[in-house]
Amino acid sequence: MNHSQDVTRILFEGFQPQAIYLFYVLGFTSIAVFAYGVYVQIRKYRRGQPDASWGHFWTRFVDMFKTMMTHRTLKRRDKSAGRAHALIFFGFVLLFLGTATITLEYDFLEPIFGIRFWYGDFYLWFSLVLDLAGAALVGGLLYMMYRRKWLKLPKLDYQRPDRQPEDPDYDRSAYRREDWAFLWTLIIIGITGFMLEAARLVWLIDNAAIWETRWWSPVGALMAEAMLLLGFTAESAGIFRTGMWWFHGVLALTFIALIPYTKVKHIFTASASLMFRDPLAGRRLPAVPEDQETIGVKTITDFTWKQLLHLDACTKCGRCHEACPANAVGAPLSPRDVILSLREFANNALQKNELPDEVELDVHGKDVGQVFMETLWSCRTCMACVEICPVAVEHVPIIVQMRRKLVDEGNMEPILQKTLQSIHKNGNSMGESKRKRPRWTKDLPFTIKDARKEPVDVMWFVGDYASFDPRNQVVTQSFAKLMHQAGVNFGLLYEAEMNAGNDVRRVGEEGLYEFLATANISTLEQCEFNSIVTTDPHSFNTIRNEYPDFGGQFEIQHYTTLLKQLFEQGKLKLKQKLDYRVTFHDPCHLGRYNKGYDAPRELIQLLGCELVEMDRNRDNSFCCGAGGGRIWIPDPVGLEKPSENRMREAGEIEGLDVFIVSCPKDLTMFEDALKTAGFEGKFVVKELIELVNECVEFDETVTIDAEIVSA
Amino acid sequence: MKILVAVKEVAALDEDFEIRDDRLDVDEDFLLYDLNEWDDFSLEEAMQIKESADIDVEVVVVSVGPDRVEESLRKCLAKGADRAIRVWDDAMEGSDAVTIGRMLAAVVEKEKPDMVFAGVQSSDNADAATGISLAAQLNWPHAAVVAGLEYQPGSSTAKATRELEGGLSQQVEVGCPAVLTIQLGINSPRYASLRGIKQAAAKPIEEWSLDQLGMTTDEVGSAAALAHVRRMYIPEKGMATMIGGTPAEQAAKLAEIIKEFRGE
């Protein structure tokens, strides 16, 4: 045990009092500059709208803390960057805690209470830990420099799909300079820290208490040995140490002062963003209060403070840019650039002392810094960006809120207007008569109960595509057959069912969504049933996550879980197994939106198929391109469609027989893409229901005349 | 400055409709009502004039029809019309285009607009007569099938581009006030968001009776109409058949049909 009070570091050793005063003046200046910056940022956020996210403060804090400690979100889809960040993060945190500990003793406990603890064993262990922390910091930074300079990752090149190179706001080289300035500043602070440590050791080489214990600072000691080899004496090391001390100190203080003004602020904004994350972000879009006159986001101050904070949390890691299906096919949208554009806009407009005129706050338009209409309409609300964002930026709600304003002002494709009007008139998006909705039931050899007239156990909410689209009707009939065979007591709303509204809401037509949701809820509430089932993941999402906001509390499941249960309960039996080589496409609204990754896979295994996953699967599944109302807007000619991109991915699988989907819109999109991408005849696209149907043993009465169905 | 826009709620047929027992019209159960498509364009034209004018322009929509018409008028209010007038009396049921023109003329006398727009025609009756009949009643200048318009609010003339058959256009200068019947495609009608429609529910719709028009029951309705529906029916379908098979099979089948037709 070492209790020697000499085994420590004397602060400001050999300094004139004036020098110490100078250092304190610099220190307080740095803190003042920092504090002012923080004030400006907070004032910026406070210029946004209120947000109710302060609830459950403690739970949120614990959740954020866990995420930070595990670096869970940072390691996803980029393990080495996550690890390097962990080195920098933990190194930085330990060095900060170390410095804070010294301050606690030197500036508070010792002068006020005469308490000292920073010596002896504690000091030695402290030295060791901080030396390792410094090494971690420098190591992590070195990897990051290597990654930026040599890995040439497309997600880090800052190319904007929403601007042309000749546009004045295309250039993002300032971000690149900032990235490098950040890396260099931090690594120089780290390295000069070690040099300073080494110089002090050489300077105090004659002080046994210091020199004998030097290996507790292994990096510093190693560098001290090197200095000796280079011919440093105690005296020259002392002079070197003074120069290094000021260089290191001033750089560190400058770094602290600049935190709120640079990307370094992410240490606060990213943590806060994680803390205020909405676990249902995008899955449940915000309702508009009855008394609110305007709708959506027109000006930068229409965002809530939380959204403004999210904008600042972005560290440009590019994970969303990489995951976005619109960006992948060359559409003028990158979720990252939407966030960065809005951030720049907020910084320009909201950091001033006086709030600019309302016209200057409009985020929509074609001017510098504004978000283009085409950009917003390119979004398929697939949630790939929100899902992967390591700092919980919620892109989709931001985009939809902005679209609400576009819809309100009629800034959309005329064909989309027509579809919305038709949904209002007919209750469906197919331009069909209400009367035609249950027509698919006519070919069935049994009658499905009318749940409006008699109580049922399971209410089947069919959805538009499954009801009206001829190809999907075959699947719908098969599912009816399966439920009938399993003896499920189920019924339909028949003509009274309306479009569930999921995509209408994601288009941004909130008024129409309210109309559809309240109409469906009131119809459902008049019926007697225990739970709802649907084959449509879109209806599934909105009924499950969004209807509760309108008073509709229903238990609902996607057909995949119901079928799984029916097999487990022995209500459905297999008569044969399939030896197909298959792959499975996770529908966005079943997978990412509602974490229904496993049930479809378990069903596929049950059928005996060999499941080969595509690279992009489960939470990284690639959108078919139909979401967010994009199924109603034709894709631009000449650009690859997301569905075709997906087909090419599936086409890589050797000997693939079936591309399995479990969503009516997917079936439509991918059967189309199969042809346009040139894979027709190589493999087929099928609904999982169809495969189940091939294998299940039916009583004779249930068998549908195959010709009627295919006619 | 005021622009009056005459609009109509039209009926569209649902799938599998049935004709009424008296065989004079389609059974109302199978009708879906909506604002006449042409009227979307005439309202939009008025709104664009209003929005680009330096002076205050009031846009008033007027429609002759029963309660249900309020839904369409509300849509017009949601798109930005300042006022809406619904003219109705049960006696008006069955009025023809000329009578409706007369009723609208009575509204114009009271409202004194500087310009009147109507759609070229309605998609259900397709008479294309109401607007012109209104101009005749008022003895105002008119231009029909207007596909382009240059008009400054308050000026004494307007330049209208009329769409003629065969891809021709004709530019006419009309003295104002005038009645113009507006053609599809003259502009891009705006979208009335559901929220806008809901908010427009707070705006009142003025209801005008026969008295206010200064007309009597025998001047309106089917009794005053100059033409009457005798019968409504679905004409028999023509005889078109797709012939399938190989070219040889198709030729054989065709020969067979020709022989049958000639009675051989």
Side-chain angles (χ1 to χ4, degrees), chain A residues 55-244:
Chain A
H56 310 287
F57 190 87
W58 188 240
T59 332
R60 284 173 179 283
F61 182 82
V62 170
D63 194 46
M64 173 210 53
F65 190 74
K66 275 188 196 157
T67 309
M68 268 164 51
M69 287 303 124
T70 55
H71 264 52
R72 176 178 65 83
T73 58
L74 277 161
K75 285 177 187 154
R76 291 179 64 198
R77 288 182 219 160
D78 199 341
K79 271 223 166 65
S80 24
R83 286 196 191 115
H85 188 276
L87 287 177
I88 300 170
F89 172 82
F90 288 109
F92 192 89
V93 165
L94 285 172
L95 289 167
F96 172 78
L97 289 177
T99 312
T101 309
I102 301 172
T103 310
L104 180 71
E105 184 193 275
Y106 186 80
D107 291 315
F108 297 97
L109 295 182
E110 195 183 6
I112 302 171
F113 306 106
I115 299 174
R116 281 191 65 205
F117 55 82
W118 194 48
Y119 58 86
D121 275 349
F122 178 77
Y123 171 78
L124 293 175
W125 281 105
F126 179 99
S127 301
L128 179 64
V129 169
L130 260 61
D131 232 48
L132 294 177
L137 175 75
V138 172
L141 287 167
L142 282 174
Y143 175 77
M144 290 306 198
M145 288 173 134
Y146 159 75
R147 177 172 179 264
R148 275 193 193 274
K149 182 77 187 164
W150 283 284
L151 289 188
K152 304 251 180 263
L153 302 172
K155 63 180 173 183
L156 293 182
D157 69 9
Y158 296 155
Q159 275 196 27
R160 297 187 66 168
D162 58 337
R163 291 289 196 276
Q164 298 302 317
E166 59 273 16
D167 288 339
D169 44 359
Y170 175 80
D171 184 36
R172 287 256 153 97
S173 54
Y175 281 134
R176 198 166 294 125
R177 285 194 292 276
E178 189 191 20
D179 293 332
W180 281 106
F182 174 55
L183 288 173
W184 274 113
T185 310
L186 208 49
I187 204 164
I188 289 172
I189 292 173
I191 291 170
T192 53
F194 282 127
M195 286 164 76
L196 180 57
E197 188 177 44
R200 173 177 169 269
L201 288 174
V202 178
W203 174 45
L204 300 176
I205 197 162
D206 297 331
N207 184 336
I210 305 291
W211 189 247
E212 299 297 311
T213 56
R214 68 187 183 284
W215 289 107
W216 286 90
S217 306
V219 182
L222 213 60
M223 286 170 70
E225 301 287 345
M227 281 178 78
L228 289 173
L229 281 177
L230 287 170
F232 273 90
T233 60
E235 197 185 347
S236 60
I239 296 164
F240 182 65
R241 175 250 180 194
T242 310
M244 209 29 85

Side-chain angles (χ1 to χ4, degrees), chain B:
Chain B
M1 167 66 203
K2 189 191 281 186
I3 304 175
L4 190 81
V5 182
V7 301
K8 180 184 178 186
E9 188 169 77
V10 292
L13 294 178
D14 201 352
E15 303 261 335
D16 307 328
F17 59 90
E18 285 167 19
I19 304 276
R20 225 158 59 189
D21 289 343
D22 63 8
R23 299 173 63 197
L24 292 178
D25 208 342
V26 175
D27 188 335
E28 179 135 16
D29 281 359
F30 299 93
L31 294 179
L32 303 169
Y33 293 100
D34 204 348
L35 189 66
N36 182 33
E37 197 182 355
W38 278 263
D39 301 342
D40 278 327
F41 290 86
S42 44
L43 175 64
E44 181 64 33
E45 200 57 24
M47 288 307 301
Q48 289 186 3
I49 292 169
K50 175 185 165 80
E51 283 162 357
S52 59
D54 303 324
I55 54 169
D56 272 352
V57 176
E58 188 183 23
V59 173
V60 181
V61 283
V62 57
S63 186
V64 178
D67 290 354
R68 60 172 160 74
V69 173
E70 293 210 345
E71 196 188 324
S72 291
L73 287 175
R74 238 172 257 301
K75 201 166 142 188
C76 296
L77 289 170
K79 289 186 175 194
D82 298 288
R83 283 167 51 219
I85 301 169
R86 182 171 70 86
V87 179
W88 191 245
D89 186 294
D90 287 343
M92 294 178 185
E93 186 70 52
S95 299
D96 66 4
V98 174
T99 311
I100 290 175
R102 209 173 280 146
M103 291 189 257
L104 291 174
V107 175
V108 170
E109 301 287 356
K110 292 211 161 186
E111 284 288 324
K112 301 197 186 337
D114 302 275
M115 183 59 99
V116 176
F117 291 159
V120 168
Q121 63 180 65
S122 59
S123 57
D124 52 358
N125 283 347
D127 284 328
T130 309
I132 301 307
S133 139
L134 163 63
Q137 288 292 332
L138 293 168
N139 202 16
W140 277 14
H142 69 262
V145 203
V146 173
L149 180 63
E150 284 172 48
Y151 171 62
Q152 291 301 318
S155 72
S156 58
T157 58
K159 261 189 223 150
T161 306
R162 300 183 54 231
E163 187 182 292
L164 304 182
E165 287 298 308
L168 274 179
S169 285
Q170 181 191 55
Q171 203 174 57
V172 295
E173 193 172 273
V174 288
C176 299
V179 178
L180 306 180
T181 68
I182 305 291
Q183 174 65 316
L184 302 177
I186 188 173
N187 51 41
S188 318
R190 67 197 59 197
Y191 177 73
S193 74
L194 258 265
R195 211 175 157 77
I197 295 173
K198 231 170 145 183
Q199 282 169 344
K203 291 194 194 175
I205 293 174
E206 297 162 39
E207 290 182 26
W208 288 26
S209 62
L210 264 176
D211 279 354
Q212 275 160 288
L213 298 182
M215 294 170 85
T216 57
T217 44
D218 44 329
E219 288 176 285
V220 297
S222 53
L226 300 171
H228 298 275
V229 178
R230 287 185 58 207
R231 170 163 95 98
M232 188 180 272
Y233 63 100
I234 303 164
E236 275 186 37
K237 289 229 170 81
M239 304 255 291
T241 326
M242 283 296 287
I243 304 172
T246 65
E249 285 165 4
Q250 288 175 329
K253 180 76 185 158
L254 189 62
E256 198 181 304
I257 292 170
I258 293 170
K259 275 183 193 163
E260 194 188 312
F261 190 71
R262 290 172 57 174
E264 286 174 23

Side-chain angles (χ1 to χ4, degrees), chain A residues 467-482:
Chain A
S467 298
F468 293 102
D469 175 63
R471 172 67 181 90
N472 274 295
Q473 282 175 346
V474 180
V475 178
T476 309
Q477 287 162 337
S478 299
F479 185 60
K481 224 174 91 175
L482 288 168

